[in-house]
């Protein structure tokens, strides 16, 4: 019997590979003769790089780049190995948050008028100069509201004011942009293909735009939101005047402080649901061939899980092959029954008794293995009765 184990990470506790390892260990206690295939996956958010590197036997590249406020920060990206579905093409996986994330700025200094996505551009340049031509970029968790302007500068674009001088970093400075010069963009860009994991549908500006929806969590006051929204609108005007297709209203343009618009303009990127990009890159569908059961999971299964989270992507592929799916979560939240309504066979949480969060996180490994063993015991009993 072939069992495919394809979980996401349990945030702040276990990586997706560690989750898969514990599930496998628990199942082997009761079903030692089964064939197990572990495929760590993610939905494009935090942990995607590590999951994809683990799933394909790839490796991480660590370097120092420009942080959101111009400070040097340590960041990393992944280069996938040969076990995925990319047909031998060398692929880099980058999480925008690694270089330009909110965690790089302490709460007292968060100010999206000033923060820049320059460091994300530096990660892309480093990968291109290593010969990478296929990129997967995860948006989210950013400290920025600059529309990807900082990234564009790192790639060689010149953003000039009316005096012909480079504008300052940050979202507010976009209001001074007069001329966009892309004649010195990195030459390798023309050879690259970019897929961008984007799971929000916000346009660039307006009530549902980047500044209004995401700005406050990055430190924007009500006055800043209005200023930043107008600056992004002006940035879109200059892009359009410079020959770029006007995509400010496109779904996802407002993702990550307008980075959605920036990657579409400067990288000619395709925005897609994160889980779809990840599953394709790791070749999950092909790995389901011949499986009798699929185990998936994430740290919390609740009503939000059905909206593009990892367990639902895995379920979709498995249902197409008529393979039953079991979900295992750190905890179950309100609306978790919706996952069952979508066709998952069963869901389990791993917490054995009431406890606080630090205890739950600390004991996740042991709880996960024990729960997996108990699930496998039920399956073994069913198999024995069938025989």
């Amino acid at each position: 019997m072939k069992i495919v184990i394809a979980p996401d990470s349990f945030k702040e506790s276990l990586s997706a590979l560690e989750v898969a390892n514990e599930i496998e260990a628990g199942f082997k206690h009761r079903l030692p003769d089964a064939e197990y295939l572990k495929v760590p996956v993610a939905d494009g958010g935090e942990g995607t790089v590590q999951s994809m590197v683990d799933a394909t036997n790839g490796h991480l590249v660590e370097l120092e780049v420009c942080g959101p406020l111009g400070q040097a920060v340590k960041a990393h990206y992944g280069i996938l190995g040969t076990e995925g579905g990319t047909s031998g093409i060398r692929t880099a996986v980058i999480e925008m948050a690694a270089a330009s994330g909110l965690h790089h700025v302490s709460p007292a200094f968060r100010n999206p008028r000033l923060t820049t996505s320059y460091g994300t551009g530096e990660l892309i340049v480093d990968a291109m100069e290593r010969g990478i031509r296929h990129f997967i970029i995860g948006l989210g968790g950013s400290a920025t509201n600059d529309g990807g302007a900082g990234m564009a500068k790192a790639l060689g674009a010149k953003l000039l004011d009316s005096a012909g001088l480079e504008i300052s970093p940050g979202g507010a400075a976009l209001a001074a942009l007069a001329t966009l010069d892309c004649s010195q963009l990195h030459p390798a860009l023309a050879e690259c293909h970019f897929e961008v994991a984007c799971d929000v549908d916000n346009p660039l500006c307006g009530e549902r735009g980047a500044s209004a929806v995401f700005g406050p969590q990055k430190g924007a006051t009500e006055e800043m939101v209005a200023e930043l929204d107008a600056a992004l609108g002006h940035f879109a005007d200059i892009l359009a005047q410079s020959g770029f297709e006007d995509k400010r209203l496109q779904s996802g343009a407002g993702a990550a402080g307008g980075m959605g618009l920036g990657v579409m303009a400067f990288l000619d990127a395709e925005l897609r649901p994160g889980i779809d990009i990840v599953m394709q890159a790791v070749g999950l569908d092909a790995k389901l061939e011949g499986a009798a059961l699929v185990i998936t999971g994430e740290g919390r299964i609740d009503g939000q899980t059905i909206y593009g989270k990892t367990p639902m992507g895995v379920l979709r592929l498995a249902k197409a092959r008529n393979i039953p799916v079991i979900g295992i979560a750190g905890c179950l939240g309100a609306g978790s029954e919706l996952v069952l309504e979508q066709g998952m066979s069963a869901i389990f949480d791993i917490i054995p008794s009431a406890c606080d969060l630090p205890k739950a996180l600390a004991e996740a490994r042991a709880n996960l293995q024990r729960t997996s063993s108990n699930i496998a015991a039920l399956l073994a009993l069913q198999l024995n009765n069938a025989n």
Side-chain angles (χ1 to χ4, degrees):
M1 177 172 62
K2 177 180 177 181
I3 299 175
V4 175
I5 304 171
D8 202 338
S9 63
F10 283 19
K11 300 297 187 291
E12 299 183 65
S13 179
L14 301 172
S15 72
L17 179 59
E18 289 172 329
V19 172
N21 286 339
E22 296 307 323
I23 293 173
E24 180 187 41
F27 265 71
K28 280 186 172 179
H29 289 160
R30 307 290 186 169
L31 295 170
D33 297 326
E35 172 193 353
Y36 297 95
L37 179 58
K38 294 175 293 186
V39 190
V41 285
D43 58 16
E46 179 186 354
T48 294
V49 168
Q50 190 65 60
S51 295
M52 297 182 71
V53 165
D54 288 339
T56 63
N57 292 323
H59 66 278
L60 296 177
V61 176
E62 299 184 357
L63 62 156
E64 194 172 85
V65 297
C66 173
L69 287 174
Q71 80 280 30
V73 299
K74 293 182 179 179
H76 68 268
Y77 64 91
I79 295 180
L80 301 191
T82 58
E83 298 299 317
T86 53
S87 303
I89 299 172
R90 296 185 71 209
T91 300
V93 186
I94 295 172
E95 290 176 16
M96 180 187 178
S100 310
L102 198 59
H103 66 282
H104 286 307
V105 185
S106 61
F109 293 95
R110 290 176 182 173
N111 186 342
R113 298 182 72 256
L114 306 176
T115 47
T116 176
S117 58
Y118 192 92
T120 298
E122 289 182 294
L123 295 181
I124 295 171
V125 169
D126 186 84
M128 287 193 299
E129 294 185 349
R130 294 173 190 263
I132 302 297
R133 295 296 181 264
H134 179 227
F135 289 80
I136 294 170
I137 300 177
L139 302 186
S142 79
T144 61
N145 205 93
D146 71 348
M151 173 196 71
K153 285 185 180 183
L155 294 172
K158 295 187 179 300
L159 284 73
L160 309 175
D161 62 18
S162 57
L165 302 175
E166 284 272 1
I167 63 171
S168 302
L174 295 174
L177 180 63
T179 305
L180 179 62
D181 180 1
C182 293
S183 63
Q184 296 182 47
L185 281 173
H186 198 293
L189 281 173
E191 304 169 2
C192 294
H193 174 60
F194 292 87
E195 297 179 89
V196 174
C198 178
D199 292 293
V200 301
D201 60 1
N202 304 76
L204 184 69
C205 300
E207 292 182 357
R208 295 188 60 251
S211 306
V213 174
F214 306 113
Q217 69 194 42
K218 303 174 185 183
T221 63
E222 188 174 337
E223 292 76 15
M224 285 185 196
V225 166
E227 178 188 11
L228 291 167
D229 189 65
L232 282 177
H234 177 69
F235 183 44
D237 290 340
I238 298 297
L239 283 171
Q241 293 168 18
S242 302
F244 291 95
E245 183 179 351
D246 192 342
K247 295 187 176 182
R248 76 185 77 193
L249 298 179
Q250 184 163 320
S251 176
M259 188 69 152
L261 178 72
V263 296
M264 287 190 287
F266 297 105
L267 306 181
D268 192 25
E270 174 187 8
L271 304 186
R272 294 174 56 202
I275 184 59
D276 291 348
I277 294 175
V278 173
M279 292 192 305
Q280 180 180 343
V282 302
L284 179 59
D285 187 45
K287 292 175 180 177
L288 294 179
E289 179 69 35
L293 176 68
V294 176
I295 311 294
T296 187
E298 61 180 347
R300 180 185 178 92
I301 291 178
D302 58 19
Q304 295 300 309
T305 298
I306 65 172
Y307 298 108
K309 296 294 185 71
T310 293
M312 297 312 297
V314 174
L315 176 63
R316 174 161 40 87
L317 291 186
K319 282 178 64 177
R321 293 178 176 269
N322 295 313
I323 306 170
V325 180
I326 292 175
I328 304 177
C331 66
L332 301 179
S336 59
E337 69 279 358
L338 297 176
V339 175
L340 298 175
E341 293 175 9
Q342 295 294 317
M344 195 167 290
S345 298
I347 52 176
F348 298 86
D349 68 272
I350 67 171
I351 300 174
S353 60
C355 66
D356 58 21
L357 180 58
K359 180 178 175 65
L361 295 176
E363 298 179 355
R365 191 181 299 273
N367 289 339
L368 178 57
Q369 186 173 146
R370 186 197 62 257
T371 302
S372 300
S373 180
N374 288 336
I375 295 169
L378 288 173
L379 294 174
L381 180 62
Q382 181 183 20
L383 291 172
N384 290 335
N385 289 339
N387 294 329

